[in-house]
Amino acid sequence: MGALRPGAEVDLRGVTVPSWLLEAVLDAVTGPDGRPHLGRTRFDGAVLPSDAALRGFCVEGDSSFDGACFLGVASFHDARFFGNASFRDVRFARDASFQGARFHRHASFEETVSVGEAVFSGARWHVDVSFRHAAFVGSVSFDHAAFGRDAGMQAAAFGGAASFRRVRVARYARFERAKFRRGLRLGPLVAIGGISLADAVVHGGLHVHAAARHVTARGATVHGDAEFGLRYAELDLEDAAFTGTASVRSLSEPIPGVMEPSWPPAGVRLTSLLRTDAALLEVTGVDLGGCALPRRPASGGGAPRRSWLRRGGRA
């Protein structure tokens, strides 16, 4: 402990870290700015039995918490990660907060399990972040978060309410094969590359309010109503299934609260409805020219029936 200074390397791999030890380490590396400053930081396989107050700390090197277990509340509020940060296979037994945290290089939360409430509101990832196969038993919020490149949520499981309001993604928001037990509210959101909900399963309804070039829900299953309020996007609903009404509308005005890129004006286009299963599909202000439509057998001759498709506005 006497050798620790701000910016020192800390290695607590496999150690059970009581609160007094964590506080002593953080006090020893606290700089003149009042923030703890660590160099290379290793908590792999560590167990933190009490609440972990890591708010405001700065990791100037790479950090790894792989396989760590937080038995109390874990607070990384306003933390700074200047190197790569890995929280792979971490167990958060209670609430976990990364509110306002900053990640300057790649971050991984793959296979992490969070039992309590998880808060990533206002967090900033300057490059990619991966939550592949993560499990959120409680509610999770990414409201006002910003992703510098891809936001990878593939095959993640969301047992509580999931909220992504006022979010900006510089490339792709990826939710392929993700599962949502209590609905998904995606937006207001800007995804400059696009949004993928391919093969996702949503219970409790889906609400997408976004500006993006490409949105796909190919093979998605939504138990409940689904609403897509979009700007600019090409939307693909091929092989999607909705137990309730699915509505698609083009938003003529900019989405308040999120900064859209300077794209040339473009309306929303539906690209495919092949094998789409919905009790009713409502489209408003949407371009259907070039859309791959199902050809249902005609009843007694004549044109194919598409009674499940209702057009409104300038569709």
Side-chain angles (χ1 to χ4, degrees):
M1 295 293 292
L4 289 178
R5 298 290 184 271
E9 178 178 330
V10 174
D11 188 347
L12 291 170
R13 287 176 289 179
V15 175
T16 297
V17 186
S19 59
W20 65 265
L21 176 58
L22 181 62
E23 291 171 6
V25 170
L26 296 179
D27 287 344
V29 298
T30 296
D33 59 357
R35 288 177 177 265
H37 289 262
L38 298 93
R40 177 73 170 96
T41 302
R42 297 170 177 166
F43 277 79
D44 305 72
V47 178
L48 290 90
S50 304
D51 293 351
L54 294 161
R55 55 186 298 140
F57 87 139
C58 298
V59 184
E60 296 166 1
D62 291 344
S63 57
S64 176
F65 292 80
D66 294 351
C69 183
F70 292 82
L71 300 181
V73 174
S75 176
F76 291 85
H77 180 85
D78 197 36
R80 299 290 185 268
F81 299 88
F82 291 100
N84 298 311
S86 182
F87 288 82
R88 187 182 180 94
D89 197 31
V90 169
R91 297 295 183 266
F92 295 104
R94 295 180 62 188
D95 297 347
S97 175
F98 289 83
Q99 184 173 2
R102 300 290 186 271
F103 298 85
H104 291 261
R105 299 187 67 181
H106 178 76
S108 174
F109 290 82
E110 294 183 1
E111 300 179 17
T112 288
V113 176
S114 176
V115 176
E117 180 184 14
V119 179
F120 294 90
S121 301
R124 297 287 185 274
W125 288 271
H126 289 263
V127 291
D128 299 302
V129 60
S130 175
F131 287 87
R132 291 181 180 91
H133 298 282
F136 297 95
V137 179
S139 62
V140 59
S141 171
F142 287 88
D143 295 349
H144 300 277
F147 300 84
R149 291 200 298 204
D150 292 348
M153 310 273 174
Q154 298 96 321
F158 299 83
S163 180
F164 293 80
R165 293 182 174 92
R166 306 266 188 303
V167 171
R168 182 177 175 85
V169 182
R171 294 205 307 198
Y172 294 94
R174 307 192 60 179
F175 296 91
E176 295 97 329
R177 305 180 308 284
K179 294 179 172 59
F180 301 86
R181 296 296 303 175
R182 294 186 178 274
L184 171 61
R185 186 173 185 86
L186 197 58
L189 177 147
V190 169
I192 296 175
I195 301 169
S196 178
L197 290 160
D199 299 311
V201 178
V202 183
H203 295 263
L206 170 66
H207 178 92
V208 180
H209 186 193
R213 280 302 195 187
H214 304 280
V215 179
T216 178
R218 275 195 172 214
T221 301
V222 178
H223 298 274
D225 294 336
E227 178 184 353
F228 296 88
L230 302 174
R231 281 174 60 77
Y232 306 105
E234 293 183 347
L235 175 63
D236 186 353
L237 296 180
E238 188 167 314
D239 290 310
F242 307 93
T243 63
T245 298
S247 64
V248 182
R249 60 190 177 94
S250 179
L251 304 175
S252 58
E253 298 295 329
I255 299 174
V258 293
M259 184 176 65
E260 296 182 2
S262 300
W263 286 329
V268 174
R269 293 181 59 247
L270 259 171
T271 61
S272 180
L273 290 171
L274 292 176
R275 297 177 297 279
T276 302
D277 185 3
L280 178 65
L281 177 64
E282 298 180 338
V283 293
T284 304
V286 176
D287 183 2
L288 293 174
C291 178
L293 293 169
R295 308 298 294 181
R296 297 190 175 186
S299 178
R305 294 182 291 109
R306 296 195 190 98
S307 59
W308 53 280
L309 175 62
R310 177 185 295 168
R311 305 183 188 187
R314 296 179 294 104

Coordinates of all heavy atoms in Angstrom, one line a residue, residues 147 149-154 164 167-176 186 189-198 212 214-216:
F147 N -22.7 6.3 -28.8 CA -21.8 5.2 -29.2 C -21.0 5.8 -30.4 O -21.5 6.1 -31.4 CB -22.6 4.0 -29.6 CG -23.4 3.4 -28.5 CD1 -24.7 3.9 -28.2 CD2 -23.0 2.4 -27.7 CE1 -25.5 3.4 -27.2 CE2 -23.7 1.8 -26.7 CZ -25.0 2.4 -26.4
R149 N -19.0 4.2 -32.4 CA -19.0 3.3 -33.5 C -20.2 2.3 -33.4 O -21.3 2.8 -33.3 CB -17.7 2.6 -33.8 CG -16.6 3.5 -34.2 CD -15.4 2.8 -34.9 NE -14.7 1.9 -34.0 CZ -13.4 1.5 -34.2 NH1 -12.7 2.0 -35.2 NH2 -12.9 0.6 -33.4
D150 N -20.0 1.0 -33.3 CA -21.1 0.1 -33.2 C -21.5 -0.1 -31.7 O -20.7 -0.2 -30.8 CB -20.7 -1.3 -33.8 CG -20.5 -1.2 -35.3 OD1 -20.9 -0.2 -35.9 OD2 -19.9 -2.2 -35.9
A151 N -22.8 -0.3 -31.6 CA -23.4 -0.7 -30.3 C -23.8 -2.2 -30.5 O -24.9 -2.4 -31.1 CB -24.5 0.1 -29.9
G152 N -23.1 -3.1 -30.0 CA -23.3 -4.6 -30.2 C -24.1 -5.2 -29.1 O -23.6 -5.4 -28.0
M153 N -25.4 -5.5 -29.3 CA -26.2 -6.1 -28.3 C -26.7 -7.5 -28.8 O -27.8 -8.0 -28.4 CB -27.5 -5.3 -28.1 CG -27.2 -3.8 -27.8 SD -26.8 -3.5 -26.0 CE -26.4 -1.8 -26.1
Q154 N -26.0 -8.2 -29.7 CA -26.4 -9.4 -30.3 C -26.6 -10.5 -29.2 O -25.8 -10.7 -28.4 CB -25.4 -9.9 -31.3 CG -25.2 -9.0 -32.5 CD -24.0 -8.1 -32.3 OE1 -23.8 -7.6 -31.2 NE2 -23.3 -7.9 -33.4
F164 N -33.9 3.0 -24.6 CA -32.9 3.6 -25.4 C -33.3 5.0 -25.9 O -33.4 5.2 -27.1 CB -32.5 2.7 -26.5 CG -31.8 1.4 -26.1 CD1 -32.6 0.3 -25.7 CD2 -30.5 1.2 -26.2 CE1 -32.0 -0.9 -25.3 CE2 -29.9 0.0 -25.8 CZ -30.7 -1.0 -25.4
V167 N -30.7 8.5 -27.9 CA -29.4 7.8 -28.1 C -28.8 8.1 -29.5 O -29.6 8.2 -30.5 CB -29.6 6.3 -27.9 CG1 -28.3 5.5 -28.3 CG2 -29.9 5.9 -26.5
R168 N -27.5 8.2 -29.6 CA -26.9 8.4 -30.9 C -25.8 7.3 -31.1 O -25.0 7.1 -30.3 CB -26.2 9.8 -31.0 CG -25.6 10.1 -32.3 CD -25.0 11.5 -32.3 NE -24.2 11.8 -33.6 CZ -24.8 12.2 -34.7 NH1 -26.1 12.4 -34.7 NH2 -24.1 12.5 -35.8
V169 N -25.9 6.7 -32.3 CA -25.0 5.6 -32.6 C -24.3 6.0 -33.9 O -25.0 6.2 -34.9 CB -25.7 4.3 -32.8 CG1 -24.7 3.1 -33.1 CG2 -26.5 3.9 -31.5
A170 N -23.0 6.1 -33.9 CA -22.3 6.6 -35.1 C -22.3 5.6 -36.2 O -22.1 6.0 -37.4 CB -20.8 7.0 -34.7
R171 N -22.4 4.3 -36.0 CA -22.5 3.3 -37.0 C -23.8 2.5 -36.8 O -24.8 2.9 -37.2 CB -21.2 2.5 -37.1 CG -20.0 3.3 -37.5 CD -18.9 2.4 -38.1 NE -18.5 1.3 -37.3 CZ -17.3 0.6 -37.5 NH1 -16.5 1.0 -38.4 NH2 -17.0 -0.4 -36.8
Y172 N -23.6 1.3 -36.3 CA -24.8 0.3 -36.3 C -25.2 0.0 -34.9 O -24.4 -0.3 -34.0 CB -24.4 -1.0 -37.1 CG -24.2 -0.8 -38.5 CD1 -22.9 -0.5 -39.0 CD2 -25.2 -0.8 -39.4 CE1 -22.7 -0.3 -40.4 CE2 -25.0 -0.5 -40.8 CZ -23.8 -0.3 -41.2 OH -23.5 -0.1 -42.6
A173 N -26.5 0.0 -34.7 CA -27.1 -0.5 -33.5 C -27.6 -1.9 -33.8 O -28.5 -2.1 -34.6 CB -28.3 0.4 -33.0
R174 N -27.0 -2.9 -33.1 CA -27.2 -4.3 -33.5 C -27.8 -5.1 -32.4 O -27.2 -5.3 -31.3 CB -25.8 -4.9 -33.9 CG -25.1 -4.1 -35.0 CD -23.9 -4.9 -35.5 NE -24.3 -6.1 -36.2 CZ -23.5 -6.9 -36.8 NH1 -22.2 -6.7 -36.8 NH2 -24.0 -8.0 -37.3
F175 N -29.0 -5.5 -32.7 CA -29.8 -6.3 -31.7 C -30.2 -7.7 -32.3 O -31.2 -8.3 -31.9 CB -31.1 -5.5 -31.3 CG -30.9 -4.2 -30.6 CD1 -30.8 -3.1 -31.4 CD2 -30.8 -4.2 -29.3 CE1 -30.5 -1.8 -30.7 CE2 -30.6 -3.0 -28.6 CZ -30.5 -1.8 -29.4
E176 N -29.4 -8.2 -33.2 CA -29.7 -9.5 -33.8 C -29.9 -10.6 -32.7 O -29.0 -10.7 -31.8 CB -28.7 -9.9 -34.8 CG -28.6 -9.1 -36.0 CD -27.4 -8.0 -35.9 OE1 -27.2 -7.6 -34.7 OE2 -26.9 -7.6 -36.9
L186 N -37.1 1.9 -28.4 CA -35.9 2.2 -29.1 C -36.0 3.6 -29.7 O -36.6 3.7 -30.8 CB -35.6 1.1 -30.2 CG -34.2 1.1 -30.7 CD1 -33.2 0.8 -29.6 CD2 -34.1 -0.1 -31.8
L189 N -33.9 8.1 -31.4 CA -32.5 7.5 -31.6 C -32.1 7.9 -33.0 O -32.8 7.9 -34.0 CB -32.5 6.0 -31.4 CG -31.3 5.2 -31.6 CD1 -31.2 4.0 -30.7 CD2 -31.2 4.6 -33.1
V190 N -30.8 8.1 -33.2 CA -30.1 8.3 -34.5 C -29.1 7.2 -34.6 O -28.2 7.1 -33.7 CB -29.5 9.7 -34.7 CG1 -28.6 9.7 -35.9 CG2 -30.6 10.7 -34.8
A191 N -29.1 6.4 -35.7 CA -28.1 5.4 -36.0 C -27.7 5.7 -37.4 O -28.4 5.4 -38.4 CB -28.7 4.0 -35.8
I192 N -26.5 6.2 -37.5 CA -26.0 6.7 -38.8 C -25.8 5.5 -39.8 O -26.2 5.6 -41.0 CB -24.8 7.5 -38.7 CG1 -25.1 8.8 -37.9 CG2 -24.2 7.9 -40.0 CD1 -23.9 9.6 -37.5
G193 N -25.4 4.4 -39.3 CA -25.2 3.2 -40.2 C -26.6 2.5 -40.4 O -27.0 2.3 -41.5
G194 N -27.2 2.2 -39.3 CA -28.5 1.5 -39.4 C -28.8 0.8 -38.1 O -28.0 0.8 -37.1
I195 N -30.0 0.1 -38.1 CA -30.5 -0.6 -36.9 C -30.9 -2.0 -37.4 O -31.6 -2.2 -38.4 CB -31.7 0.1 -36.3 CG1 -31.4 1.5 -35.9 CG2 -32.3 -0.7 -35.1 CD1 -32.6 2.3 -35.5
S196 N -30.4 -3.0 -36.6 CA -30.8 -4.4 -36.9 C -31.5 -5.0 -35.8 O -30.9 -5.1 -34.7 CB -29.5 -5.2 -37.3 OG -29.9 -6.5 -37.6
L197 N -32.7 -5.5 -36.0 CA -33.5 -6.3 -35.1 C -33.7 -7.7 -35.6 O -34.7 -8.3 -35.3 CB -34.8 -5.6 -34.7 CG -34.7 -4.3 -33.9 CD1 -35.9 -3.4 -34.1 CD2 -34.5 -4.6 -32.5
A198 N -32.9 -8.1 -36.5 CA -33.1 -9.4 -37.2 C -33.1 -10.5 -36.2 O -32.3 -10.6 -35.3 CB -31.9 -9.7 -38.2
A212 N -32.4 6.7 -39.5 CA -31.4 5.7 -39.8 C -31.5 5.5 -41.3 O -32.6 5.6 -41.9 CB -31.5 4.4 -39.1
H214 N -30.8 2.4 -42.7 CA -31.3 1.1 -42.9 C -31.9 0.6 -41.6 O -31.2 0.7 -40.6 CB -30.2 0.1 -43.5 CG -29.6 0.6 -44.7 ND1 -30.2 0.4 -46.0 CD2 -28.4 1.2 -45.0 CE1 -29.4 0.9 -46.9 NE2 -28.3 1.4 -46.3
V215 N -33.0 0.0 -41.6 CA -33.6 -0.7 -40.5 C -34.1 -2.0 -40.9 O -34.9 -2.1 -41.9 CB -34.8 0.1 -39.8 CG1 -35.4 -0.6 -38.6 CG2 -34.3 1.5 -39.4
T216 N -33.7 -3.1 -40.2 CA -34.2 -4.4 -40.6 C -34.8 -5.1 -39.3 O -34.2 -5.0 -38.3 CB -33.1 -5.3 -41.2 OG1 -33.6 -6.6 -41.5 CG2 -31.9 -5.4 -40.3

